[in-house]
Amino acid sequence: MVKKHKKFIKLTKKFPFIRLNNNRRASLVVVEDLWTKCNTEGEKLLYHQLRANMYYPTPHYWIDHVRANIALVPFRLALIELRPGLNEKRIMKQLKRHHWRVIFYETEQLLKDEHLLVDLVSKQAPTKNVSTSS
């Protein structure tokens, strides 16, 4: 019986000796045009750039008491704007515990070079190239 459920069970040397694997997939998000929820010019620009590159961002997404300015939920990638007094190490540690990756960005840098952050996102969250057959 253990062979049948081997992918769901993990045997350990510490108590409890039998644990269940928690292999959750990223939740699905209904695709909507949410650019009106973006507050700043940097968020709006980033939102439109990601949509142009076939990503579906969600603005102001909460992940365990941390608000990501823009999140790519299926890829578990959070984009957070740097602000004074922001504890980056704590946020990285907290989101890493939930299997999220974090990219911090500055608004001034984003407004100067729009494609820099989108290129960084495309390296972290590659899209699948789907070809259509006719």
Side-chain angles (χ1 to χ4, degrees):
M1 182 156 167
V2 175
K3 283 185 178 181
K4 188 175 185 180
H5 302 289
K6 192 172 187 177
K7 63 181 177 179
F8 300 112
I9 295 174
K10 181 180 178 184
L11 300 174
T12 62
K13 294 180 180 179
K14 296 181 180 179
F15 185 80
F17 301 109
I18 299 174
R19 297 180 187 194
L20 296 176
N21 284 336
N22 190 5
N23 294 335
R24 288 190 224 160
R25 294 185 181 200
S27 61
L28 296 177
V29 176
V30 178
V31 176
E32 296 179 31
D33 195 17
L34 300 171
W35 71 271
T36 56
K37 289 188 176 183
C38 297
N39 296 335
T40 63
E41 285 297 317
E43 287 179 5
K44 288 179 184 178
L45 179 66
L46 184 58
Y47 184 88
H48 288 300
Q49 287 291 327
L50 289 172
R51 284 298 298 259
N53 286 310
M54 300 301 294
Y55 292 105
Y56 298 103
T58 306
H60 305 289
Y61 190 77
W62 286 92
I63 311 154
D64 192 37
H65 306 293
V66 175
R67 186 182 67 107
N69 292 72
I70 292 182
L72 298 173
V73 178
F75 298 105
R76 291 185 176 263
L77 183 64
L79 301 167
I80 299 176
E81 182 180 357
L82 284 173
R83 296 183 305 271
L86 188 69
N87 191 348
E88 296 174 37
K89 288 183 180 181
R90 183 186 64 81
I91 291 173
M92 293 266 299
K93 186 177 179 181
Q94 194 170 5
L95 294 184
K96 193 173 186 179
R97 191 177 319 132
H98 292 283
H99 307 289
W100 279 76
R101 289 170 288 160
V102 183
I103 297 176
F104 292 101
Y105 69 92
E106 293 180 4
T107 307
E108 296 84 24
Q109 183 183 11
L110 178 65
L111 293 174
K112 288 179 186 175
D113 188 12
E114 306 166 354
H115 301 288
L116 179 69
L117 195 58
V118 176
D119 292 339
L120 188 60
V121 168
S122 65
K123 289 178 185 174
Q124 293 281 329
T127 57
K128 293 181 180 178
N129 190 2
V130 179
S131 61
T132 57
S133 301
S134 299

